[in-house]
Amino acid sequence: MGKSVTVVHWLLLTLGLVAAQAEKAEQVLPNWLTGIIAVGVFFFLIFVTFLVNKAWCETPSKPEAVPIEYAMTNVSTRLDAVRSIDDPNAYENAIVHQTDEKATEM
Amino acid sequence: MENTTANHVTINNPADISVILGYFMVVIAVGIWSTFRTDRGTVGGYFLAGRTMVWWPVGTSLFASNIGSGHFVGLAGTAAASGIAVGSFEWNALFIVLLLGWVFVPVYLTAGVITMPQYLKKRFGGSRISLYLSVISLFLYIFTKISVDMFSGAVFIQQALGWNIYVAVIALLCITALYTVTGGLAALMYTDTVQTFVIIAGAFVLMGFSFNEVGGYSALLDKYSLSLPSQRGFNISEQCYTPRGDAFHLLRDPMTGDLPWPGVLFGIAIIGSWYWCTDQVIVQRCLAARSLTHVKAGCILCGYLKLLPMFLMVFPGMISRVLYPDEVGCVEPSICTKVCGTEVGCSNIAYPKLVVSVMPTGLRGLMLAVMLAALMSSLASIFNSSSTLFTMDIWTRIRPQARDKELMIIGRVWILCIVAISICWIPVVQAAQSGQLFDYIQSVTSYLAPPIAAVFFLAIFMKRVNEAGAFWGLMGGLVMGLCRMVPEFAYGSGTCLKPSNCPKLICGVHYLYFAVLLFFCTAILVLFVSYNTPPIDDKHLHRLVFTLRHSKEERVDLDWEEVERGRKARREADEKETVVTEEDQIERGDRSIMMMIIGWFCGISDTQAPEPTEEEVAEASKQLPDISEDPLWKYLVNANALIMMSVAVYFWGYYA
């Protein structure tokens, strides 16, 4: 959701500029009003994106649900080990070597 | 370069000195406390603070690592010269930091990488891309971040204490190196929280005093356009010393503006994406978080904090010009040389001048502490991350059998090397920037960073992009960037009085437009080469691209050969060592006391755990990093992000 919102932001700022350019010619709108208009347009675009998201992105997600659940049951027991904060192997990377000593800080 | 203004004040009274000492006490105490608090036994613990950080150290560390003394001096100086548009660099980051938390970090977390070149190595295979990225990142660190921060810190010390600029630089580096050597990432992140408080508190105080001095916000709006220097030469055109008409607008004319609005919206976004989403310094702090929710909350906190520099640095910079137009706004070369030592302009002294002239005794010490906080936090982070890059990506290729002790020593030696190089680069920084430091950083960055941002975006979102495409895209982008950067530096950037001879074709395009152009050209080149070469199979890409970030399937790493070679080399080195020490133990007596003290101070110990066997490695690789989120917290964090974006949009609209 984040990235589509960020795209929306750019659209919004472009619109905001149009408003600003118009303002330079007329000098009618006070600053705070431009700000509020910009926020209003932003919310509207968020709403539109949300609707598009709901309508369009619902169907493709269903067929994927089954294989993921299958994979999930196999690894669910190991996830507990992964979630543990104290487990030093929690995010072990193939390249990273394990050491138990007090390694140096930089 | 000696400072000769009549009214520079030395910080030599008890109130100032006690404030500075108090600041150092607190920072050192927090550093020591945090070293006991986190377990630094594993490499994950050492490089990534054990992945135990909650959201507030993540957020404040992001802010403190980003805000350096270069911001204080550069933002304020450029604002004094050309108005508030430079603040758009900061306010653009509000959105980019959300991109980091929602799009990039989930992929980096599931990929299970520590450094960005490592991510590219896993994603594309081969080693030339990661080598190129390491080298160019180190280059950019030295020439944009480190030298600029040191130069700004030194300018400040020179104005406040009157020391010679090189003495000031070396003193700053000694303090920072000490700080870096004794603290791990955990210590850095907790002390960054202290630094953030100090920076914001001190800067707020200065802002209060400055606004008081100038007569309020509306007074600033009126007086700024009237602040002209009293001594202007006869043949200096008026536009060189008159404040800009659009000084209080963020979005300026696309053709004649000094920061045109399409460049501001899109160019700064591209540079920002490189800085926040693909750069080791920033990403490392996000990877140290406890869970993805904490990353996102930390990013939101950082976003809110990034609202402040406009008010804390940009406006005071403009106030400085209003209060001291003959010094900060000087235009006559001989006068400028007398004031600050450079004949091109003295806008860089805007912030230090305020500190020295407006702040009462005792608070000047606080501001020096603020500058030190900003400088030390960002320099320490950069040193830490660049030595991570060098040891993990470059040194392990040269010597795969290197063990931890050797890596730690190499890391420290590397820090000394980059510090030496950065000191040597300072004269170039002094000469190259036409009195506008921030512009210098941003222009160098916009010639070199967009190809990297393009490759990372494509790497994360498009599975079809492969190694050949990415490599040739990076090379093409580098050539294009150098074609612009080398002539511009050769001809000199020029000033208003003496414009540069650089041909219009090369230097006529604004650097922000060039960044957009470079980004798209690189993207096109990458896609073109990728589609003409064989694709990378899905089985190599699980949890390395955005669409596959939740996939739980086994991944065949593209770099497994190299990893295996390294592991074998380390196992062989282990076996050799056990043979040697068995013979040695009988002969060697006690180690000298001196060696033990040095070892304790630097944190280097003799014991080395053995390289894990193949079975242990296979077991470890089956544990997948977790990026699932609690649904309630996920919605809360998303809602918070929306609120922050609305606040950002309001301010953009207000100042557009």
Side-chain angles (χ1 to χ4, degrees):
Chain A
M1 194 198 157
K3 74 178 147 113
S4 50
V5 169
T6 319
V7 166
V8 153
H9 145 70
W10 297 123
L11 286 171
L12 163 83
L13 277 193
T14 320
L15 288 171
L17 157 89
V18 172
Q21 291 268 323
E23 193 194 326
K24 255 188 242 173
E26 299 168 15
Q27 297 279 313
V28 169
L29 288 175
N31 278 350
W32 55 268
L33 195 57
T34 335
I36 293 184
I37 293 174
V39 175
V41 176
F42 176 68
F43 279 146
F44 175 71
L45 289 170
I46 297 286
F47 181 62
V48 165
T49 321
F50 184 65
L51 289 178
V52 165
N53 218 3
K54 271 275 185 206
W56 200 37
C57 298
E58 279 288 285
T59 29
S61 62
K62 286 210 181 96
E64 287 180 42
V66 176
I68 287 178
E69 274 169 32
Y70 183 72
M72 282 289 281
T73 51
N74 283 347
V75 299
S76 57
T77 45
R78 290 211 200 91
L79 279 177
D80 291 326
V82 171
R83 271 185 166 271
S84 157
I85 291 166
D86 296 330
D87 184 358
N89 295 331
Y91 292 105
E92 190 61 51
N93 183 314
I95 283 185
V96 166
H97 23 274
Q98 296 183 37
T99 55
D100 283 328
E101 87 228 30
K102 271 202 180 292
T104 320
E105 327 74 55
M106 284 193 189
Chain B
M1 182 172 145
E2 288 298 327
N3 180 23
T4 50
T5 44
N7 57 348
H8 89 253
V9 182
T10 51
I11 296 183
N12 56 1
N13 51 68
D16 282 336
I17 293 180
S18 56
V19 169
I20 296 175
L21 285 178
Y23 159 72
F24 275 111
M25 293 289 114
V26 172
V27 169
I28 292 174
V30 171
I32 294 177
W33 166 79
S34 59
T35 49
F36 288 122
R37 199 188 134 97
T38 45
D39 167 35
R40 291 161 296 127
T42 63
V43 176
Y46 160 57
F47 281 124
L48 294 178
R51 299 215 193 212
T52 55
M53 290 288 142
V54 290
W55 59 278
W56 50 268
V58 170
T60 54
S61 187
L62 286 174
F63 180 75
S65 304
N66 170 244
I67 296 288
S69 45
H71 281 78
F72 280 100
V73 170
L75 271 181
T78 313
S82 56
I84 68 170
V86 70
S88 57
F89 284 96
E90 302 299 300
W91 281 359
N92 211 297
L94 268 71
F95 298 95
I96 307 297
V97 95
L98 294 180
L99 197 68
L100 168 72
W102 268 254
V103 172
F104 283 84
V105 170
V107 178
Y108 295 148
L109 277 176
T110 50
V113 293
I114 296 180
T115 67
M116 293 299 97
Q118 204 176 53
Y119 167 75
L120 287 184
K121 203 188 294 193
K122 284 199 183 298
R123 168 68 175 82
F124 293 120
S127 51
R128 50 189 185 168
I129 295 178
S130 67
L131 181 66
Y132 169 76
L133 184 67
S134 313
V135 169
I136 203 148
S137 299
L138 290 171
F139 179 84
L140 279 169
Y141 287 162
I142 295 175
F143 297 122
T144 57
K145 297 184 194 179
I146 298 180
S147 43
V148 164
D149 274 344
M150 290 198 310
F151 174 70
S152 314
V155 162
F156 186 83
I157 286 190
Q158 197 195 33
Q159 289 281 317
L161 299 176
W163 293 357
N164 173 273
I165 193 167
Y166 284 96
V167 171
V169 162
I170 292 173
L172 285 173
L173 286 173
C174 288
I175 300 174
T176 311
L178 197 71
Y179 177 89
T180 313
V181 158
T182 52
L185 182 67
L188 280 182
M189 288 178 77
Y190 281 118
T191 48
D192 276 351
T193 311
V194 174
Q195 313 281 32
T196 304
F197 276 120
V198 171
I199 290 172
I200 294 180
F204 257 114
V205 169
L206 179 68
M207 183 183 84
F209 276 104
S210 320
F211 270 111
N212 188 38
E213 194 77 13
V214 87
Y217 179 70
S218 33
L220 170 65
L221 292 177
D222 298 328
K223 288 188 196 172
Y224 182 76
S225 40
L226 304 169
S227 54
L228 307 167
S230 52
Q231 277 146 321
R232 339 157 192 171
F234 289 109
N235 49 2
I236 298 177
S237 79
E238 215 179 270
Q239 55 145 348
C240 288
Y241 55 80
T242 317
R244 298 182 61 93
D246 54 7
F248 285 95
H249 287 277
L250 283 177
L251 303 174
R252 299 181 177 176
D253 192 271
M255 289 294 128
T256 61
D258 60 337
L259 284 173
W261 69 262
V264 162
L265 292 184
F266 303 111
I268 299 184
I270 291 169
I271 301 175
S273 315
W274 167 76
Y275 183 89
W276 292 93
C277 304
T278 72
D279 193 50
Q280 181 64 26
V281 177
I282 298 294
V283 174
Q284 200 167 345
R285 268 131 195 84
C286 286
L287 294 180
R290 188 172 291 200
S291 74
L292 189 59
T293 313
H294 284 284
V295 171
K296 294 183 176 179
C299 288
I300 294 176
L301 174 63
C302 178
Y304 277 119
L305 290 174
K306 284 295 262 180
L307 280 171
L308 299 175
M310 175 70 97
F311 304 107
L312 297 180
M313 294 162 215
V314 169
F315 283 122
M318 298 173 79
I319 291 175
S320 185
R321 183 174 180 170
V322 169
L323 295 176
Y324 313 107
D326 291 323
E327 282 133 338
V328 175
C330 74
V331 67
E332 181 74 27
S334 54
I335 298 182
C336 286
T337 319
K338 229 191 301 170
V339 169
C340 64
T342 7
E343 50 175 49
V344 288
C346 284
S347 52
N348 280 341
I349 66 163
Y351 204 82
K353 189 101 184 92
L354 270 184
V355 169
V356 159
S357 319
V358 160
M359 296 286 265
T361 314
L363 291 180
R364 244 176 273 131
L366 174 67
M367 288 316 295
L368 185 61
V370 167
M371 286 299 278
L372 288 176
L375 178 76
M376 280 162 46
S377 59
S378 36
L379 273 190
S381 310
I382 297 170
F383 287 163
N384 179 298
S385 297
S386 62
S387 71
T388 311
L389 272 183
F390 182 74
T391 49
M392 297 296 278
D393 289 301
I394 298 183
W395 192 257
T396 45
R397 290 183 79 232
I398 303 174
R399 281 179 50 92
Q401 69 272 31
R403 302 318 305 276
D404 281 8
K405 185 170 165 185
E406 182 181 336
L407 291 178
M408 306 315 177
I409 297 177
I410 289 296
R412 275 164 183 68
V413 169
W414 177 248
I415 291 179
L416 294 177
C417 287
I418 47 174
V419 160
I421 298 175
S422 308
I423 295 181
C424 298
W425 194 248
I426 289 182
V428 182
V429 173
Q430 274 182 289
Q433 43 90 13
S434 55
Q436 292 194 27
L437 199 62
F438 218 65
D439 244 18
Y440 157 77
I441 314 170
Q442 299 302 335
S443 48
V444 170
T445 314
S446 53
Y447 302 143
L448 295 175
I452 303 173
V455 164
F456 266 90
F457 263 106
L458 289 172
I460 290 203
F461 286 115
M462 295 199 63
K463 290 195 272 186
R464 185 63 180 82
V465 172
N466 59 14
E467 200 267 346
F471 180 71
W472 291 112
L474 283 173
M475 289 298 115
L478 176 67
V479 166
M480 219 174 127
L482 287 177
C483 282
R484 169 68 190 258
M485 193 169 97
V486 171
E488 187 158 316
F489 271 80
Y491 281 105
S493 43
T495 66
C496 190
L497 308 179
K498 289 183 258 182
S500 135
N501 296 335
C502 191
K504 267 281 177 188
L505 184 66
I506 301 178
C507 298
V509 178
H510 192 274
Y511 65 83
L512 289 176
Y513 287 144
F514 187 79
V516 178
L517 191 66
L518 187 54
F519 181 84
F520 283 113
C521 285
T522 309
I524 292 171
L525 184 59
V526 169
L527 289 172
F528 180 72
V529 176
S530 295
Y531 274 102
N532 286 327
T533 42
I536 301 180
D537 214 18
D538 254 18
K539 69 171 190 268
H540 301 297
L541 291 179
H542 290 292
R543 296 180 300 287
L544 286 175
V545 291
F546 192 72
T547 43
L548 293 176
R549 71 192 186 283
H550 289 303
S551 144
K552 301 286 178 208
E553 296 171 28
E554 176 112 12
R555 177 174 78 219
V556 178
D557 270 336
L558 283 168
D559 60 344
W560 69 271
E561 251 179 50
E562 194 184 318
V563 170
E564 258 315 297
R565 240 184 300 133
R567 212 167 278 129
K568 232 185 269 174
R570 283 192 287 276
R571 274 188 218 121
E572 281 166 24
D574 266 350
E575 281 162 33
K576 266 192 239 148
E577 210 180 287
T578 34
V579 170
V580 168
T581 45
E582 274 164 15
E583 301 168 359
D584 237 10
Q585 237 158 19
I586 315 165
E587 298 176 4
R588 234 199 298 153
D590 292 9
R591 298 179 62 218
S592 72
I593 309 273
M594 203 52 208
M595 290 292 291
M596 283 174 65
I597 293 177
I598 294 179
W600 170 80
F601 182 72
C602 292
I604 301 173
S605 78
D606 259 347
T607 57
Q608 167 76 62
E611 184 66 21
T613 63
E614 293 176 23
E615 297 82 28
E616 287 171 345
V617 168
E619 261 308 301
S621 64
K622 291 221 189 77
Q623 294 170 329
L624 305 170
D626 184 21
I627 57 163
S628 63
E629 302 172 75
D630 190 280
L632 168 67
W633 285 111
K634 182 174 175 180
Y635 283 122
L636 269 176
V637 152
N638 285 351
N640 228 307
L642 276 178
I643 294 174
M644 192 193 88
M645 276 200 280
S646 337
V647 172
V649 164
Y650 173 76
F651 276 112
W652 271 92
Y654 188 96
Y655 281 107

